[in-house]
Amino acid sequence: MHDERNRIEERVQRAHDQRIKPAIYADTVPFEVEAWQAPGEPVSFEEAAAARYTPFAMDTPWGPPWGTTWFRMRGQVPAEWAGKRVEAVIDLGFIGDWPGNQAEALVHLPDGRPLKAVNPLNQYVPIANPATGGEQIDYLVEAASNPDILKDNFSKITPMGDKLTAGSEPIYTFQRADLAILDENVWHLDLDLQVLRELMVHLPEHEPRRHEILHALDRAMDALDLDDVAGSAAAVREVLAPVLAKPANASAHTISGVGHAHIDSAWLWPIRETKRKTSRTFSNVTSLADEYDDFIFACSQAQQYEWVRDNYPHVWARIQESVKKGQWAPVGGMWVEADGNLPGGEAIARQLIHGKRFFIEHFGVETKGVWLPDSFGYTAAYPQLAKLAGNDWFLTQKISWNQTNKFPHHTFWWEGIDGTRIFTHFPPVDTYNARFSGEEMDRAVRNYSEKGGGQRSLAPFGWGDGGGGPTREIMERARRLADLEGSPKVVVEHPDDFFAQARAEYPDAPVWVGELYLELHRATYTSQARTKQGNRRSEHKLREAELWATTAALHAPGYSYPYEKLDRLWKTVLLHQFHDILPGSSIAWVHREAEAEYARVAEELEALTAEAVHALGAGGTRVFNTSPFDRAEVVRTAEGAPAYVEVPANGSAPLTDAEPAQSVRTQGRVLDNGLVRVEVAEDGTLSSVVDLRVGREVLGDKGNLLRLHTDLPNYWDAWDIDKHYKNRYTDLLEPTSIEVVSEDPLLGAIRVTRAFGKGSTITQTITVRADSPRIDFETEIDWHEAEKILKAAFPVDVRAAHSSAEIQFGHIQRPTHTNTSWEAARFEVSGHRWVHVGEPGYGVAVLNDSTYGHDVSRTVREDGGTTTTVRLSLVRAPRIPDPEADQGKHRFTYSLLPGASIEDTVAEGYSLNLPLRVADAAGAPEPVVSVDGEGVTVEAVKLADDGSGDVVVRLYESGGGRATGVLRTGFPLAGAQITDLLERPLEEETAEVSDGGVAVSLRPFQVLTLRLRRG
């Protein structure tokens, strides 16, 4: 047989594109259209309905960037269309085929009910099937003219990322608003051809099935009347029916499809636009559920459900009905799909708590899995926290984006830092926006790593990132691929069903231990430093407010615990931990609003804490310690003078004139407190740090070396830092001034000021305090660089085999060598409050109060010694998608802690991030809780969320070893229960009260929640 593949494939392609697709709509009649441009921000339906509309013609420009235009569309179905399937077809002037980053609209009925949304791949609104003829159609269409931030594929700087800079010229041209007849025969023929052609081109050339399909398509084209596509469509489908009817192989891979619409809670659009995106997507999804009984849609992010509940009650009611019918599956159990590395441990717990409770309360559904397809790596604390929240499985897809190493598994057990394992799946289709194309089906089978062990994988299908969701075309593809020779089988089902079957068929799946590190997007640990600082400060202020509100509720008559305010503030912080806000990868508008929100949160939490402290009594001055460790340190009074105080963990003490064991001596550029001696060189770096307790020089080279690197990644500016950044740099070694600013015996300080680059300045106050080996670098930067990153280096004279970085409820060790490509790929990593490096018998820590990104390397000196260098990433200057990212002023502190064990480091990390509070208060209550025993660390103290008055305490083992201790309370204790994160008793775990305390025994990094009943 002659090889005629090219001829046939080209014939099919042209007939499909030029004849069949244009014939899907058999006849059209235009709507009469009027328009009204809403001033400023979006308005309610009621305001829009009462507005004055003016006539609007097709091919007319409309929509300033970030504007809202309402269109009134009126029409009548022609009488001769009776018996036909009639739809409205609307094209706002769509760009390409991605629904998420351009014009979108929500169609309303005259009474205000949202009907359905339109976007590039979902332009229709159903009217009647069949029509009776004469139906009067009256729509109000809310159209958003969101700019295309991706217009130049992230290659050009754009001012469109903020309404303050985007301008006001119209950016879209309205193309179409019609009543139309959908020719179902032609529409189904279009889908038959697409599915068969895509299957064919991805089959190997030696496969008979490929050639069978090829010649069936050729025969089908013979049956097509090019002058009467509609009249011949049924006959063409009959030719194709036999090849569509052939069943899949018995050993075919099974793909479990579930509808999905990834909606970034903010990214290339602000939060206010996401609120509208949810209503559009969810309207489409519930509409599709009405059309397809076999459709199931998985949707995460309780925050987005709440937006719909509060703003679109009709859509909310439709969601509730779909959940009851089993077609809508709440998943994920988190408030938002948060970043997987940066939120603190308690914050991740609250993500799970608030998310799961929302779904239980509003749908009677307890979600069973963590659904995080699109975060930038995942902390090794997740398995334990997920299980403690009642989850059985974990899903993500993002690790397939690795730059260097292909992750070896798709179905596996993931083991966290404490030993907890959770069943985990990466969809081998390598997308969470699948559409069941031939290429995707081929990739899923080819890619699947567990062949021979498992035989099924998951495919979330539907357009996403900016929403959109599944379409009827995707559902039709799924139906055709359910049992088709040459293709994997496709079954649409609930994710819980997929995970149950996958686990049953492969219970001994391989194990991956530790973090799921994404070898990409490493700059998300640093970009938009003020956003990250707002998160860190908010997390610690929430801890502080909860502790002192609990203290006041227990000891201050008449004080009322602020349940609702704390709940609302937590949810605000959780929202901003979304995986394109906290990582710093959103447009300028998003980060401008985030900074303002964090300022409001801080102000309100300060007020709540002050109210709680004041309720304990006025008329004296006390110092309050929110840290879980006893502290003896220097604090500044309300007048700014230093004072030395001793304060118990989670407790308070009067401000006294206690004397430290060692005072600070300041001589020139030398600070000495008897524990450490710090020498500042003429270039402003540290020339020496001597640990006087052991007579050891800490540094192996210049300490606190500030290095400015060129930072132009290959593609994703705000997301990526590529390894070549290290090759070009300038060391900041020319200070404009060095001056002693404090010679107080309690606090010695030297200030170093530098000017560099394009008008940037950095002022650092190097501070040594009495009785503390910690050296602080209080830093103020006025940053005006572009495409640069600033790092602070501490070369430490220790031979460290690994670094230890704090993560949620523990720490993780990473090798300092680069023996393999896996270690080499970790050239930038994340941590929370500290990084520790050491050798047997001696360690050094670098602490911070708002920095997450860092790198650790080591070199061997000529004298044979090893220098291990920890470098903090302080601030970046990406220009896409926010051209002004990080510009302006920053204030933060980082610290060097010589001679530190892990236990010392944990304590100092808390101290730096939870400054002592000096307040007007006279009450002296016992700490709500205290712990006898090392390693048992209190992370949260609060009242139970159910309003019972019980006290909830979250503990964890912080050193990486086993720990035992006794938890004691500052109130009469009647009983104790071990609970899950949702404060529900764990029947298999017991807590016994003995001698007024609770005995606690923890494995390494174990998290334990105790519910304490008051006597």
Side-chain angles (χ1 to χ4, degrees):
M1 183 181 291
H2 298 299
D3 186 352
E4 294 195 281
R5 285 174 299 170
N6 288 342
R7 174 189 67 79
I8 297 171
E9 289 176 13
E10 290 170 358
R11 180 189 188 192
V12 173
Q13 187 72 55
R14 182 173 185 184
H16 172 263
D17 294 349
Q18 297 182 12
R19 294 293 192 273
I20 296 170
K21 209 160 191 65
I24 288 175
Y25 285 108
D27 198 2
T28 62
V29 174
F31 277 105
E32 292 181 4
V33 182
E34 297 177 305
W36 173 69
Q37 174 67 48
E41 287 295 281
V43 301
S44 67
F45 174 86
E46 290 73 21
E47 184 176 343
R52 178 176 296 178
Y53 287 74
T54 57
F56 184 88
M58 294 300 98
D59 298 318
T60 298
W62 70 278
W66 305 113
T68 301
T69 305
W70 286 80
F71 295 98
R72 172 162 280 142
M73 300 181 184
R74 292 191 172 105
Q76 182 175 8
V77 176
E80 59 271 24
W81 288 9
K84 306 293 186 180
R85 182 171 179 174
V86 178
E87 300 179 342
V89 183
I90 301 168
D91 183 347
L92 301 171
F94 298 122
I95 302 166
D97 63 1
W98 183 36
N101 187 43
Q102 59 167 297
E104 301 176 65
L106 182 61
V107 179
H108 299 76
L109 293 173
D111 62 4
R113 282 179 294 158
L115 187 60
K116 186 178 173 296
V118 292
N119 62 51
L121 292 163
N122 214 329
Q123 298 184 19
Y124 75 98
V125 180
I127 291 176
N129 184 23
T132 59
E135 290 95 336
Q136 295 288 335
I137 310 303
D138 189 353
Y139 292 151
L140 268 179
V141 180
E142 181 190 26
S145 48
N146 301 329
D148 180 11
I149 305 297
L150 285 178
K151 179 180 178 182
D152 296 303
N153 202 26
F154 282 114
S155 65
K156 293 182 182 178
I157 297 165
T158 175
M160 289 291 184
D162 196 328
K163 64 178 181 178
L164 302 180
T165 57
S168 59
E169 289 300 311
I171 55 176
Y172 294 100
T173 300
F174 211 123
Q175 296 295 315
R176 181 181 188 183
D178 294 334
L179 291 162
I181 297 173
L182 178 71
D183 189 319
E184 293 189 73
N185 265 332
V186 177
W187 181 63
H188 280 290
L189 172 59
D190 167 66
L191 289 157
D192 291 345
L193 285 172
Q194 288 187 53
V195 168
L196 284 172
R197 183 181 175 279
E198 291 175 9
L199 171 61
M200 175 187 69
V201 298
H202 287 96
L203 286 169
E205 291 183 5
H206 65 269
E207 281 288 339
R209 175 66 166 161
R210 174 170 181 151
H211 298 274
E212 178 188 35
I213 296 172
L214 179 76
H215 290 286
L217 290 172
D218 198 24
R219 292 193 301 274
M221 293 302 97
D222 291 340
L224 180 68
D225 185 342
L226 297 177
D227 297 319
D228 185 11
V229 172
S232 59
V236 178
R237 294 195 71 204
E238 287 182 13
V239 174
L240 296 175
V243 288
L244 280 167
K246 285 202 168 183
N249 298 328
S251 59
H253 185 79
T254 298
I255 292 179
S256 296
V258 60
H260 186 229
H262 185 61
I263 306 177
D264 286 321
S265 290
W267 180 29
L268 305 178
W269 46 85
I271 287 173
R272 71 91 147 139
E273 195 56 33
T274 312
K275 295 177 181 179
R276 301 201 292 179
K277 283 178 175 291
T278 55
S279 68
R280 298 177 198 129
T281 295
F282 296 171
S283 295
N284 284 354
V285 169
T286 53
S287 177
L288 195 63
D290 291 339
E291 198 171 347
Y292 290 87
D293 291 340
D294 53 339
F295 173 60
I296 296 176
F297 179 71
C299 186
S300 66
Q301 304 197 80
Q303 171 69 87
Q304 295 183 1
Y305 287 77
E306 186 175 81
W307 285 334
V308 173
R309 183 199 67 189
D310 293 346
N311 299 302
Y312 298 90
H314 294 294
V315 179
W316 173 249
R318 286 158 61 181
I319 292 172
Q320 289 181 308
E321 185 61 30
S322 290
V323 173
K324 289 178 184 175
K325 290 163 58 180
Q327 290 189 275
W328 186 297
V331 294
M334 296 178 70
W335 192 247
V336 296
E337 290 183 13
D339 179 84
N341 289 309
L342 305 180
E346 188 61 24
I348 291 182
R350 302 300 175 98
Q351 289 281 0
L352 293 160
I353 291 165
H354 285 293
K356 293 200 70 161
R357 279 201 184 130
F358 185 93
F359 294 134
I360 292 169
E361 177 183 350
H362 294 286
F363 301 119
V365 172
E366 178 160 359
T367 56
K368 291 298 182 184
V370 177
W371 184 278
L372 272 180
D374 187 34
S375 189
F376 312 138
Y378 304 91
T379 170
Y382 251 122
Q384 179 179 200
L385 295 175
K387 294 287 281 187
L388 286 173
N391 293 296
D392 297 326
W393 54 262
F394 188 97
L395 177 134
T396 182
Q397 178 268 320
K398 201 70 174 188
I399 303 298
S400 69
W401 286 39
N402 272 6
Q403 253 180 346
T404 306
N405 299 285
K406 178 177 170 57
F407 194 82
H409 310 300
H410 285 103
T411 300
F412 60 101
W413 290 95
W414 180 19
E415 182 179 311
I417 52 173
D418 72 310
T420 299
R421 291 179 177 179
I422 191 165
F423 196 71
T424 302
H425 182 69
F426 291 171
V429 71
D430 274 359
T431 180
Y432 48 81
N433 299 323
R435 58 186 183 88
F436 297 131
S437 69
E439 191 273 335
E440 288 173 347
M441 298 298 92
D442 178 61
R443 180 171 67 239
V445 176
R446 246 186 316 107
N447 206 21
Y448 184 56
S449 298
E450 271 62 56
K451 296 182 184 74
Q455 58 183 21
R456 64 184 64 240
S457 63
L458 189 70
F461 66 86
W463 298 93
D465 287 336
T471 63
R472 60 187 180 185
E473 288 78 14
I474 301 177
M475 278 301 297
E476 289 292 337
R477 284 172 172 267
R479 286 180 167 182
R480 286 161 174 78
L481 294 170
D483 192 13
L484 182 61
E485 184 186 355
S487 170
K489 299 175 184 178
V490 172
V491 54
V492 177
E493 62 182 348
H494 195 294
D496 285 349
D497 294 332
F498 161 76
F499 274 95
Q501 294 170 80
R503 182 171 174 174
E505 76 175 10
Y506 202 15
D508 57 345
V511 176
W512 180 269
V513 178
E515 66 181 330
L516 296 175
Y517 176 83
L518 178 63
E519 295 174 359
L520 195 71
H521 294 357
R522 303 166 180 91
T524 58
Y525 315 143
T526 304
S527 296
Q528 299 285 3
R530 284 184 293 267
T531 297
K532 290 174 169 58
Q533 184 176 77
N535 175 74
R536 178 77 70 85
R537 301 277 168 85
S538 296
E539 288 179 350
H540 287 80
K541 286 183 179 295
L542 280 161
R543 174 198 180 101
E544 189 175 25
E546 286 184 338
L547 173 63
W548 301 117
T550 302
T551 306
L554 293 173
H555 298 290
Y559 177 82
S560 180
Y561 190 83
Y563 289 101
E564 292 183 3
K565 289 180 179 179
L566 287 169
D567 181 79
R568 173 175 48 78
L569 290 166
W570 260 115
K571 287 175 179 174
T572 299
V573 174
L574 298 180
L575 165 60
H576 288 84
Q577 291 175 341
F578 178 76
H579 65 253
D580 274 308
I581 302 178
L582 183 52
S585 49
S586 289
I587 56 173
W589 190 347
V590 173
H591 292 289
R592 173 169 57 81
E593 290 193 332
E595 291 176 33
E597 279 295 297
Y598 284 131
R600 284 190 286 271
V601 167
E603 183 178 7
E604 194 165 349
L605 286 171
E606 278 293 317
L608 287 178
T609 302
E611 181 184 1
V613 167
H614 184 74
L616 295 171
T621 303
R622 292 187 71 82
V623 182
F624 293 81
N625 173 20
T626 310
S627 163
F629 295 91
D630 296 341
R631 291 161 74 172
E633 63 184 67
V634 176
V635 66
R636 288 193 181 275
T637 65
E639 295 75 28
Y644 186 80
V645 294
E646 297 178 354
V647 197
N650 303 306
S652 66
L655 182 64
T656 60
D657 294 325
E659 290 292 330
Q662 299 269 11
S663 59
V664 182
R665 297 173 295 282
T666 304
Q667 295 180 320
R669 295 195 304 272
V670 178
L671 303 171
D672 186 330
N673 68 357
L675 303 175
V676 292
R677 184 176 67 243
V678 179
E679 297 182 18
V680 179
E682 291 184 359
D683 61 13
T685 64
L686 303 188
S687 57
S688 174
V689 173
V690 177
D691 186 340
L692 299 172
R693 295 165 296 180
V694 293
R696 175 171 178 156
E697 173 60 55
V698 175
L699 299 177
D701 205 338
K702 294 177 182 292
N704 192 38
L705 173 65
L706 298 172
R707 179 168 285 180
L708 185 68
H709 292 265
T710 297
D711 180 22
L712 183 66
N714 290 346
Y715 188 51
W716 302 84
D717 286 25
W719 290 259
D720 284 350
I721 177 171
D722 287 331
K723 188 176 287 189
H724 53 252
Y725 88 90
K726 295 183 178 182
N727 300 337
R728 286 188 62 85
Y729 58 84
T730 301
D731 289 340
L732 305 185
L733 298 173
E734 297 180 3
T736 54
S737 66
I738 301 177
E739 57 181 326
V740 176
V741 292
S742 175
E743 297 182 85
D744 192 285
L746 293 180
L747 185 152
I750 297 171
R751 182 170 296 153
V752 180
T753 304
R754 306 178 190 275
F756 61 94
K758 298 180 179 180
S760 298
T761 60
I762 182 167
T763 301
Q764 293 194 299
T765 303
I766 304 167
T767 304
V768 172
R769 293 174 175 82
D771 273 8
S772 173
R774 195 179 90 198
I775 306 153
D776 289 347
F777 301 83
E778 300 168 41
T779 303
E780 298 181 23
I781 301 179
D782 191 4
W783 180 250
H784 298 286
E785 304 309 298
E787 296 167 350
K788 298 288 191 293
I789 184 170
L790 182 66
K791 289 203 167 225
F794 289 94
V796 178
D797 187 9
V798 296
R799 182 170 174 78
H802 60 261
S803 64
S804 299
E806 186 188 40
I807 63 170
Q808 301 84 350
F809 294 111
H811 58 266
I812 188 170
Q813 294 182 343
R814 301 180 177 108
T816 54
H817 62 73
T818 55
N819 282 358
T820 73
S821 58
W822 293 88
E823 284 98 28
R826 286 176 166 84
F827 58 83
E828 182 80 3
V829 292
S830 66
H832 283 216
R833 291 172 290 213
W834 52 264
V835 183
H836 180 276
V837 292
E839 60 192 23
Y842 195 82
V844 179
V846 179
L847 316 165
N848 72 85
D849 71 357
S850 59
T851 299
Y852 294 89
H854 66 275
D855 69 84
V856 181
S857 61
R858 66 181 189 180
T859 56
V860 176
R861 304 187 301 271
E862 290 186 2
D863 64 5
T866 299
T867 298
T868 302
T869 301
V870 177
R871 301 198 312 155
L872 296 182
S873 301
L874 303 182
V875 66
R876 295 186 72 228
R879 307 195 68 191
I880 299 170
D882 176 6
E884 298 297 316
D886 279 328
Q887 299 299 298
K889 294 183 179 180
H890 304 264
R891 294 173 63 95
F892 52 85
T893 299
Y894 56 87
S895 309
L896 183 69
L897 185 65
S901 66
I902 290 292
E903 292 73 19
D904 298 332
T905 304
V906 171
E908 289 297 331
Y910 276 105
S911 295
L912 180 62
N913 282 268
L914 291 165
L916 294 173
R917 174 181 290 269
V918 180
D920 176 17
E926 290 292 313
V928 176
V929 293
S930 58
V931 178
D932 299 333
E934 292 186 2
V936 181
T937 303
V938 176
E939 179 63 15
V941 178
K942 59 190 283 294
L943 290 190
D945 291 337
D946 61 6
S948 63
D950 290 351
V951 175
V952 172
V953 181
R954 193 124 44 233
L955 311 161
Y956 74 105
E957 194 289 313
S958 58
R962 295 189 178 272
T964 58
V966 177
L967 181 89
R968 304 196 182 279
T969 62
F971 57 90
L973 180 62
Q977 291 177 316
I978 296 175
T979 73
D980 66 4
L981 293 183
L982 279 71
E983 302 171 10
R984 302 175 298 192
L986 294 174
E987 294 181 2
E988 66 275 16
E989 310 243 8
T990 59
E992 295 184 3
V993 176
S994 178
D995 297 327
V998 181
V1000 176
S1001 178
L1002 300 177
R1003 66 179 180 270
F1005 300 132
Q1006 181 182 354
V1007 176
L1008 183 71
T1009 304
L1010 290 174
R1011 184 174 180 133
L1012 308 175
R1013 192 169 71 255
R1014 293 151 61 182

